[in-house]
Amino acid sequence: MAAAVAPPLCTWLVAACLSAACGAGEKEKQRRRGGVGLFGSSRRPGSGRSGGARSGMAMSVALHPERGVVENKKTDVKQRRVVVTGMGVVTPLGHDPDEFYNNLLQGISGISEIEAFDCSHYPTRIAGEIKSFSTDGWVAPKLAKRMDKFMQYLIMAGKKALENAGITEEIMNELEKSRCGVLIGSAMGGMKVFSDAIEALRVSYKKMNPFCVPFATTNMGSAILAMDLGWMGPNYSISTACATSNFCILNAANHIRKGEADVMLCGGSDAPIIPIGLGGFVACRALSQRNSDPAKASRPWDVDRDGFVMGEGSGVLVLEELEHAKQRGAEIYAEFLGGSFTCDAYHMTEPHPEGRGVILCIENALADSGVIKEDINYINAHATSTQMGDLKEFEALAPKSELNKVDDRPSARSCRWNRSRRCYTSWVHPNINLDNPEKNVDVSMLVGPQKERCDVKVALSNSFGFGGHNSSILFAPFK
């Protein structure tokens, strides 16, 4: 079968969408109350022998007990099915799932000139910036003033996802809170809070935001949302650069699959468009400098690509155990099948030249999901408009898979609900800005410049982050 691939439009760090730098560094091969909450209304919603020269053997026995002993301690838990029942977004293309998705289908780019601060002296002056945003009705004003934007985005997207899932105040009060969790990650955390604290410290520590330390940590967004909801189940944050949201989604799903939770909010959030954030990425020569035509800046697999485009926002999914969702009459958007993580163990920013980590990650994800590669007819690729990353991923996918549709818009990567929407509607968004494809890229495998119908059987989503973090997760229409 033929395959199709599409390039990324706007590389939003919603899910921590960082990408490989265009030539950075030298190689390193050593590699949880329902209803109104505290922070705003949710109405929108062995041992061995020791001694002498044999101490090493004793340690070996202690660390490696007989396999039978370990297996006897395992809990025999029946694997439970996980489905997507809610979606929430805060993005440059809109703060409503339908608005966001429709803009994607129209091929609208979320990239524009940065307006939040004066960046006229930077070589890159464009980003996926959210121009209009209000926490009214979602986050208590007093806290909203002190929170970093990544937390504001996260809380709003999380509550929107619950609203989208039909989890009303009445249903919320009926949920077993100890079996509801939050796992929403961030690549960068509270950069603005931390940066402001440093500036305040130049005057006096007394001028510092008393919440600067907790509000700068990546885990605090999930923690605050859980406090607001009263959810006492699994709660933490993962930070693995571009791969953050995928890591969070798979781990959240695994809590449900193993019987540790019934409902999980998961996804990612970031807000790095501040001077230090822009400056840092400029310094590592990772960003596109196509300032004169922002909408054309992100162009994966195009010969004229010159780096990724940073961005901000949040994407959150409600994952739910199938029977739990059925019992409350939830609308099901898609089923989560499984996934995998691997590490390149090769370089901080460059992909492994032979794509070993990527290939292994996809193979493991297929095994975990119980599907074969021929079942996959849509791929949401990671490619972020960098010279090396784009081609290495394509090479890892194209020759070893017989797939129908592949695309790679960061908007989809960061806001994980979007894959589920594709399974639900059978429309896939177009690739834009792929005007002059690399000679090694088979354009017959690419989604075209217009939206396309695709009867999605199984969708694969890849995300790869700085540090060689690889993640692949799979979704399918619910049957």
Side-chain angles (χ1 to χ4, degrees), residues 387-403:
Q387 289 295 328
M388 293 184 63
D390 289 10
L391 289 180
K392 291 305 174 185
E393 181 182 14
F394 191 90
E395 291 168 3
L397 287 170
K400 296 178 174 60
S401 56
E402 297 176 356
L403 310 167

Side-chain angles (χ1 to χ4, degrees), residues 190-362:
M191 292 187 70
K192 181 65 162 58
V193 165
F194 197 78
S195 179
D196 289 349
I198 293 175
E199 292 304 311
L201 185 59
R202 295 180 188 278
V203 179
S204 168
Y205 73 89
K206 296 179 180 179
K207 298 291 185 181
M208 295 173 68
N209 177 349
F211 296 99
C212 66
V213 172
F215 282 179
T217 60
T218 60
N219 69 295
M220 201 52 61
S222 286
I224 293 296
L225 182 53
M227 293 175 200
D228 196 356
L229 301 174
W231 286 15
M232 301 173 65
N235 185 286
Y236 54 101
S237 173
I238 295 174
S239 182
T240 49
C242 280
T244 293
S245 284
N246 268 12
F247 270 69
C248 290
I249 292 170
L250 179 49
N251 277 279
N254 284 339
H255 284 298
I256 297 176
R257 294 164 89 183
K258 293 190 294 183
E260 299 167 347
D262 295 324
V263 184
M264 292 290 298
L265 281 169
C266 57
S269 182
D270 266 297
I273 305 177
I274 60 175
I276 192 172
L278 179 61
F281 282 114
V282 165
C284 68
R285 297 178 295 166
L287 301 181
S288 168
Q289 298 183 19
R290 194 181 288 261
N291 301 303
S292 61
D293 195 0
K296 296 286 187 179
S298 185
R299 43 197 316 110
W301 301 304
D302 191 274
V303 169
D304 298 320
R305 66 191 183 281
D306 66 334
F308 73 83
V309 184
M310 65 189 298
E312 61 181 353
S314 180
V316 177
L317 292 179
V318 176
L319 294 187
E320 198 165 352
E321 191 274 326
L322 177 58
E323 296 306 317
H324 188 278
K326 285 182 175 179
Q327 287 173 15
R328 70 176 187 84
E331 179 177 16
I332 297 175
Y333 294 111
E335 180 170 7
F336 177 86
L337 300 182
S340 177
F341 316 128
T342 61
C343 179
D344 276 357
Y346 174 73
H347 189 273
M348 285 189 296
T349 59
E350 295 179 9
H352 191 285
E354 297 175 10
R356 293 177 182 174
V358 172
I359 294 171
L360 179 62
C361 190
I362 295 173

Side-chain angles (χ1 to χ4, degrees), residues 175-195:
L175 293 176
E176 187 176 341
K177 305 299 195 299
S178 64
R179 297 186 59 77
C180 300
V182 184
L183 209 179
I184 304 174
S186 177
M188 313 300 287
M191 292 187 70
K192 181 65 162 58
V193 165
F194 197 78
S195 179

